[in-house]
Amino acid sequence: MKLVKNGTAGTMESCDILVQVEKTDGKKVSVELDSSVMSLYGNKIREVILETVKECGVSGVKIVAVDKGALDCTIRARVKTALLRACESTEYGWNVK
Amino acid sequence: MKNDIGHEISPALAKKLGLQVHKKATVKDTATLAERLQKNGKLMDSLEDAIRAAGLKDGMTISFHHHFRDGDYVLNDVVKKISEMGYKDITVASSSLSNAHAPLVEYIKNGTVTALQSSGCRGKLADAISKCEVTLKQPVIFRSHGGRASAIANGSLHIDIAFLGVASCDALGNASGTNESGESMCGSLGYARVDARYADKVVLLTEKLAPYPNLPASIPATDVDYVVKVDAIGDSSKISSGATRYTKNPRDLMIAESAAKAIIASGYFKDGFSIQTGSGGAALAVTRFIEGEMSEKGITADFALGGITSQIVKLHEQGLVKKVLDVQGFDGEAARSIRDNPGHIEIDGNQYASPFNEGSAIHQLDVVILSALEIDTHFNVNVLTGSDGIIRGAIGGHPDTAECAALTVIVSPLIRGRIPCVVDKVGCLITEGSVCDMLVTDVGIAVNPRRPELADRLKAAGLTVKTIEQLRDEAYAVVGKPDDLKFGDKPVAVVTDPQGRALDVIYNVVQ
């Protein structure tokens, strides 16, 4: 997938995560994370975000995420949706892994 | 020798008996009651005058009560005035500290306040302490309600001056937490009564002077030194908020319903039993679910204890609870009831929970239902620090009642947001697991292995009983195992047990 614009998914509600993705030059994937459970799950959330970006096959992107205690499944869904929106793609791949 | 009136007294005999020799009465006061009330020496024109008259000095300990909870004005107003008057190095020993007390941060920064003792701490003040944004001369000392009352009584917490907001008070200091109009009532003054009795000086703050005698009184005039009229002592509408809310949250209600079923099956739900519900939505709501069973089976409780809610008052007024022993009102209805119902009785902090006297009410308690911020696989409970290690709660009567009740039921959701509530080890120890008999969650009940008979009774009643390790695993399966918190090396608070012994230390959090 190729990023063509900025993409957003999620909300600031409790147990959700707001994910914004921006296209950047180069191949780097960077994550800027703010989380209400940073001390307990900050590392894990970062890991899940990076994993999801990799699965989507996207690079050259900056992810800004504001987490309000979302579970891993929610984080994956929000990151993937934001990327799909940024790529203007409808290849959702809504299948169960 | 002869005394002033000409009767023979042997000075040696008087001395031997430790008596002084009588002196003639000074000039008699012939003023009327109305005149005396006007000119009495207790009534001060301003808070400033009262602070001066009470003899405040740098380095002293002042105390407050938290019966207005988040609606309290008195502590902030008094500390502000003390700061304006230039006093320094004051220890604030409040029965608790809430979100309302964020202004204390400034008075710690400017050196007015240098030490704190409390049952708990929340909001900006708690954040600042946990993050070392303010520096106190020693760690905060946290005590349970019973621990504080007994520490005041035995002198280990000495109060120089108590500043106590009261809903009604006459010019001599007969004071109560209720009044006829119902305005600014907090109900029971249970914790404040201990301060009034033992503090060296007692200053009462009230909005409107009541005619003498304002009796029956929670605090008798003989315990009071000064009375001062102020514009406002607190917002009683904020008493029932946060931990004392009337919950409509379906998960809280589900947990409360399970807890009620567990209590009914426990063997302790018998005619003449006694019960206390601690703060927290689910814990307070348990009352609503045992009510039906009580009236159906003709079971009445001899007494309900503790922080009192409208839900307990309702049972009392229906005749299902004979006496209500009230150390602290949790809502306006409790305040009204303690004023109007003769069977709703105010008790002080020591009558409630002194660990050193078998006569205190907790020693007669059958069932207590208590909340937890987190509980570990040894049933140890934390109600003081959050999952991030920051202070955000209060000990309250948790360890006092848990230790003494025949059946101690802990209620908690399995997870809150992404935060697991059943964990390997609690971040801060408040109540030791050996006295916590069961944990009721939204996905099942775990019974302490020390009480196998309880597990049998619950299973026989068809309730879902799991091990506490199973509950922890279920929590971690949903949210993942959390990383260990990082703490600094600076102790910011010390937690004491009800007997006043050091139980745990809270260190500063590192971002």
Side-chain angles (χ1 to χ4, degrees):
Chain A
M1 290 202 302
K2 245 190 133 117
L3 275 84
V4 295
K5 60 173 191 182
N6 293 344
T8 300
T11 69
M12 298 278 278
E13 294 292 313
S14 176
C15 296
D16 201 350
I17 181 168
L18 180 68
V19 178
Q20 291 165 294
V21 302
E22 287 168 37
K23 191 179 167 181
T24 56
D25 298 330
K27 297 249 166 200
K28 228 181 113 205
V29 177
S30 66
V31 177
E32 212 172 87
L33 173 67
D34 182 21
S35 171
S36 61
V37 290
M38 190 68 103
S39 46
L40 299 177
Y41 293 104
N43 295 330
K44 176 76 180 161
I45 295 167
R46 218 173 276 276
E47 206 176 285
V48 170
I49 291 173
L50 288 172
E51 231 176 64
T52 311
V53 174
K54 203 173 164 192
E55 279 167 25
C56 291
V58 177
S59 60
V61 61
K62 179 182 167 192
I63 314 267
V64 180
V66 183
D67 170 62
K68 297 287 176 189
L71 298 179
D72 289 352
C73 50
T74 312
I75 298 167
R76 278 198 195 92
R78 294 306 194 194
V79 172
K80 190 170 176 185
T81 306
L83 288 172
L84 285 164
R85 284 175 179 163
C87 298
E88 289 186 333
S89 164
T90 51
E91 301 290 318
Y92 302 129
W94 277 338
N95 54 335
V96 179
K97 261 207 284 190
Chain B
M1 82 177 264
K2 287 189 163 117
N3 71 13
D4 278 7
I5 308 156
H7 284 235
E8 191 62 39
I9 299 280
S10 151
L13 177 61
K15 196 180 172 193
K16 190 179 167 194
L17 297 173
L19 301 171
Q20 293 187 338
V21 176
H22 175 80
K23 284 197 162 53
K24 202 171 180 175
T26 49
V27 183
K28 198 170 144 81
D29 187 352
T30 55
T32 64
L33 167 61
E35 288 163 352
R36 288 176 196 213
L37 290 175
Q38 285 299 315
K39 65 169 192 179
N40 94 74
K42 288 189 180 185
L43 194 57
M44 294 286 124
D45 289 334
S46 69
L47 179 56
E48 196 170 332
D49 288 350
I51 293 167
R52 281 224 176 80
L56 183 67
K57 290 190 178 70
D58 291 352
M60 278 190 167
T61 298
I62 61 174
S63 81
F64 301 90
H65 71 68
H66 76 295
H67 288 289
F68 281 94
R69 300 186 67 91
D70 276 352
D72 175 57
Y73 298 157
V74 168
L75 190 149
N76 291 339
D77 290 349
V78 170
V79 174
K80 180 169 184 260
K81 182 59 72 184
I82 284 173
S83 178
E84 284 167 7
M85 291 168 76
Y87 292 103
K88 298 282 175 201
D89 192 20
I90 299 294
T91 295
V92 170
S94 182
S95 57
S96 202
L97 294 164
S98 68
N99 292 308
H101 302 121
L104 268 183
V105 170
E106 291 315 308
Y107 301 116
I108 295 171
K109 283 184 178 164
N110 77 10
T112 307
V113 175
T114 53
L116 297 174
Q117 298 209 21
S118 179
S119 158
C121 199
R122 292 179 167 93
K124 281 185 187 147
L125 174 61
D127 264 27
I129 292 166
S130 278
K131 293 175 182 166
C132 277
E133 290 165 5
V134 290
T135 310
L136 294 161
K137 68 177 175 186
Q138 61 179 44
V140 179
I141 300 176
F142 284 116
R143 301 177 196 269
S144 66
H145 289 326
R148 178 181 191 267
S150 59
I152 293 171
N154 71 24
S156 50
L157 170 49
H158 177 83
I159 299 166
D160 293 301
I161 308 173
F163 293 92
L164 307 171
V166 293
S168 69
C169 178
D170 62 36
L172 284 313
N174 289 303
S176 158
T178 63
N179 55 40
E180 272 176 37
S181 72
E183 282 162 34
S184 302
M185 299 206 304
C186 60
S188 175
L189 282 174
Y191 302 131
R193 284 170 62 176
V194 180
D195 300 42
R197 181 165 167 203
Y198 292 101
D200 287 350
K201 296 285 177 189
V202 174
V203 178
L204 297 188
L205 296 86
T206 193
E207 292 177 9
K208 203 176 142 198
L209 278 187
Y212 179 90
N214 184 42
L215 293 170
S218 307
I219 297 171
T222 42
D223 280 348
V224 176
D225 298 285
Y226 302 102
V227 175
V228 59
K229 195 180 138 334
V230 294
D231 291 339
I233 56 167
D235 178 355
S236 52
S237 73
K238 289 190 180 157
I239 295 173
S240 177
S241 63
T244 54
R245 68 197 176 274
Y246 183 93
T247 189
K248 288 175 184 165
N249 176 321
R251 188 175 60 172
D252 279 351
L253 294 175
M254 189 179 141
I255 296 167
E257 191 175 4
S258 295
K261 283 180 186 161
I263 290 161
I264 288 162
S266 70
Y268 290 96
F269 184 69
K270 288 181 179 150
D271 197 37
F273 78 116
S274 59
I275 188 166
Q276 173 167 354
T277 54
S279 63
L284 292 174
V286 169
T287 314
R288 290 185 246 167
F289 293 98
I290 57 169
E291 180 185 342
E293 193 79 4
M294 287 176 80
S295 37
E296 202 173 293
K297 296 225 170 104
I299 289 174
T300 58
D302 276 2
F303 72 89
L305 175 64
I308 298 301
T309 61
S310 61
Q311 298 151 69
I312 296 285
V313 169
K314 190 175 159 211
L315 295 193
H316 176 57
E317 291 181 343
Q318 287 172 349
L320 294 173
V321 169
K322 285 187 188 148
K323 288 210 166 143
V324 178
L325 307 185
D326 186 346
V327 71
Q328 176 185 17
F330 278 168
D331 52 39
E333 187 56 9
R336 182 205 53 81
S337 170
I338 202 169
R339 182 189 66 189
D340 298 340
N341 287 321
H344 186 154
I345 296 146
E346 182 178 51
I347 56 170
D348 72 31
N350 274 311
Q351 291 171 306
Y352 165 48
S354 169
F356 301 116
N357 192 316
E358 212 184 328
S360 68
I362 52 170
H363 287 91
Q364 336 308 328
L365 197 53
D366 283 332
V367 181
V368 68
I369 302 110
L370 298 166
S371 305
L373 283 173
E374 51 181 12
I375 178 167
D376 67 26
T377 46
H378 296 99
F379 286 86
N380 296 316
V381 174
N382 170 18
V383 288
L384 188 57
T385 61
S387 56
D388 50 7
I390 295 173
I391 298 162
R392 55 162 298 155
I395 303 175
H398 203 288
D400 308 308
T401 53
E403 214 169 86
C404 286
L407 176 67
T408 299
V409 179
I410 309 294
V411 290
S412 170
L414 190 70
I415 55 175
R416 289 184 176 95
R418 195 180 176 152
I419 297 163
C421 302
V422 188
V423 295
D424 288 322
K425 190 179 178 190
V426 288
C428 177
L429 179 60
I430 300 298
T431 299
E432 62 174 275
S434 60
V435 299
C436 299
D437 299 308
M438 62 168 86
L439 164 67
V440 179
T441 72
D442 41 348
V443 299
I445 301 169
V447 179
N448 193 320
R450 299 167 72 106
R451 303 292 303 268
E453 79 284 7
L454 289 175
D456 292 343
R457 288 174 201 155
L458 265 50
K459 282 180 198 157
L463 295 166
T464 311
V465 178
K466 298 175 176 173
T467 66
I468 195 153
E469 290 81 8
Q470 268 176 297
L471 291 177
R472 174 206 55 197
D473 292 344
E474 281 185 42
Y476 285 174
V478 177
V479 298
K481 192 170 161 27
D483 288 342
D484 290 335
L485 290 178
K486 289 188 186 73
F487 289 96
D489 56 4
K490 194 173 168 359
V492 294
V494 172
V495 177
T496 58
D497 68 7
Q499 291 76 18
R501 302 170 297 199
L503 179 68
D504 205 353
V505 178
I506 301 172
Y507 288 89
N508 62 313
V509 292
V510 183
Q511 300 296 321

